[in-house]
């Protein structure tokens, strides 16, 4: 007669949770269907992870959020101590003066004249929500000091208190919109896809908020991109929670703040249409989204229609979409500037022909991500699709500026919340290349110290200087390793050459040498990353 062997009891040693390199217990929860194995967060074993590790317990996560948000604001304020766009630069100064002038103009000039007023001096060329935002800040600022926004007399003003006020408004709106949106997205993405622990979500949120490109542009150069990006991100978060009407309204508000958010428009259109028609048509949902979009646009443009009629609306559209300026102005890391270095397309084709060429190329670049997100409208694909579509616009569209790289960069930077080391390595890489692409602009404005400090600090925080983490710093594929290492070597070489080679050797014959070399390095990198996002969108 046989007897069954009793089950072997696990030893105490086997009951202990396994620990990672940083001494923290490894994650043991099952991953969602998008992952096949359990992995620890790659960015938890970094200086940033070590910095936030004292707040590991769930009951202290509000403290962790308070700490990294405080440091994010401190970094932004520190960058803001430097100069800004157009500081003491005649005749038109720069973007700082443009924003200040719109505040001055909107509080003194009737609404019917806002888009007609003194177009030679930073005429208003942004959508209506920017105009309302300028009016609000102009009213508040005038209470503090009326001289800051005195009509005509305040032009070119570089008062230090005015600078402090303007810098503070950027901080406040980023704190109200962009920072909460990042935290909400990471919380949703972590719980539903990569299943990060609460502390890992805090580390990922901090890595996103410390990313240097947006900080250098909004708080160094001076703009309000974080408002537009915050509204778009809030729209993405609402899509994640299936709040399609709220997502539609928020996205229209983003469009009405900056026309650059049009880079995302085809993707959100394709996603919402796919949600409402596949596998069956949901007419009620389609009608609700349509009415929400119409109502929100009417809310933004209606006051201008009432104030100035059709003539005002026509002028607004003419100012918002300045096609007459030509294919590009400054040297920007997109396809047209890259090609023009070798083939002078601006001399070969007319402006009208270049417009058509740009249109066809842009459509060809955005149709693949639109098709993928339409036929497979899944929430976890939205950041990939937003990034791929926006990279297509950045690489091929008309009148791209250096600062526009923030648009394709934002949705993919959110995926620093991923649990995949290869994905994080490539996203970190493209963030560094994008920050380098801003160097010519930042150098012209005297922001070299801010650029170098932010670049160094972020890479140190995310562990890029820790060679013992080479498997997490570099992509897994050998070809990608060569691309990343080669581009980093080129980045360092260009900085060293620009610092060491005397101007007399090249300035007279090649005045734009370093800007052109920047374009030649960055454009292929952005093109490769665009193709990789398409690939990730397809395989997911």
């Amino acid at each position: 007669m046989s007897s069954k062997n009793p089950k072997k009891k696990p030893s105490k040693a086997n009951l202990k949770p396994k620990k990672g390199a940083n001494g923290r217990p490894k994650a043991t929860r099952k991953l969602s269907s998008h992952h096949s194995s359990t992995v620890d967060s790659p960015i938890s074993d970094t200086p940033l992870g070590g910095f936030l590790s004292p707040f590991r317990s769930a009951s202290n996560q509000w403290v962790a959020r308070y700490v990294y948000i405080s440091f994010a604001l401190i970094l932004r304020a520190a960058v803001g101590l430097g100069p800004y766009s157009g500081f003491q630069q005649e005749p038109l100064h720069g973007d700082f003066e443009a924003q200040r002038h719109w505040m001055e103009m909107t509080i003194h000039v009737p609404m019917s004249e806002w888009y007609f007023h003194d177009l030679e001096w930073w005429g208003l060329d942004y959508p209506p929500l920017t105009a309302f935002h300028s009016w609000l800040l102009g009213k508040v600022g005038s209470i503090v000091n009326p001289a800051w926004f005195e009509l005509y007399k305040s032009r070119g003003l570089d008062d230090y208190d005015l600078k402090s006020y303007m810098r503070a408004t950027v901080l406040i709106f980023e704190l109200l919109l962009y920072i909460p949106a990042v935290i909400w997205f990471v919380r949703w993405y972590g719980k539903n896809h990569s299943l990060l622990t609460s502390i890992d979500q805090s580390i990922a949120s901090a890595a996103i908020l410390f990313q240097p490109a947006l900080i250098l542009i909004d708080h160094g150069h001076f703009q309000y991109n974080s408002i537009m990006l915050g509204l778009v991100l809030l729209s993405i978060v609402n899509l994640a929670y299936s709040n399609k009407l709220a997502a539609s309204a928020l996205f229209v508000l983003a469009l009405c703040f900056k026309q650059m958010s049009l880079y995302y428009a085809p993707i959100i259109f394709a996603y919402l249409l796919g949600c409402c028609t596949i596998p069956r048509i949901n007419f009620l949902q389609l009608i609700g989204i349509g009415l929400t979009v119409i109502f929100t646009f009417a809310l933004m443009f209606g006051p201008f229609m009432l104030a100035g009629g059709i003539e005002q609306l026509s002028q607004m559209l003419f100012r918002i979409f300045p096609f007459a300026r030509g294919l590009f102005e400054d040297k920007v890391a997109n396809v047209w500037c890259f090609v023009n270095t070798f083939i002078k397309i601006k001399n070969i084709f007319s402006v009208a022909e270049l417009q058509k060429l740009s249109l066809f190329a842009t459509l060809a670049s955005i149709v693949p991500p639109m098709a993928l997100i339409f036929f497979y409208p899944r929430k976890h694909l939205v950041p990939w699709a937003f990034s791929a579509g926006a990279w297509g616009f950045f690489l091929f569209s008309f009148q791209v500026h250096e600062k526009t790289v923030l648009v394709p960069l934002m949705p993919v930077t959110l995926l620093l919340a991923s649990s995949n080391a290869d994905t994080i390595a490539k996203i970190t890489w493209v963030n560094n290349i994008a920050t380098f692409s801003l160097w010519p602009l930042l150098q012209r404005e005297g922001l070299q110290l801010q650029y170098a400090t932010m670049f160094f600090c972020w890479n140190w925080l995310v562990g890029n200087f820790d060679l013992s983490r080479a498997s997490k710093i570099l992509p897994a594929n050998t070809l990608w390793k060569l691309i990343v290492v080669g581009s980093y070597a080129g980045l360092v070489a260009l900085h060293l050459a620009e610092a060491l080679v005397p101007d007399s050797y090249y300035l007279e014959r090649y005045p734009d040498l370093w800007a052109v070399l920047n374009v030649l390095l960055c454009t292929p990198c952005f093109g490769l990353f665009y193709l990789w996002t398409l690939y990730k969108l397809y395989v997911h």
Side-chain angles (χ1 to χ4, degrees), residues 21 69 93 121 304:
I69 290 172
H93 301 275
W121 186 271
F304 292 93

Side-chain angles (χ1 to χ4, degrees), residues 353-391:
E353 290 171 332
L354 288 174
Q355 286 180 3
K356 293 177 182 177
L357 183 62
S358 173
L359 176 62
F360 292 141
T362 304
L363 288 175
S365 70
I366 65 173
V367 164
M370 284 182 67
L372 287 168
I373 200 66
F374 171 75
F375 288 110
Y376 194 66
R378 299 296 183 268
K379 296 173 184 178
H380 68 280
L381 295 180
V382 169
W384 293 107
F386 266 58
S387 183
W391 279 118

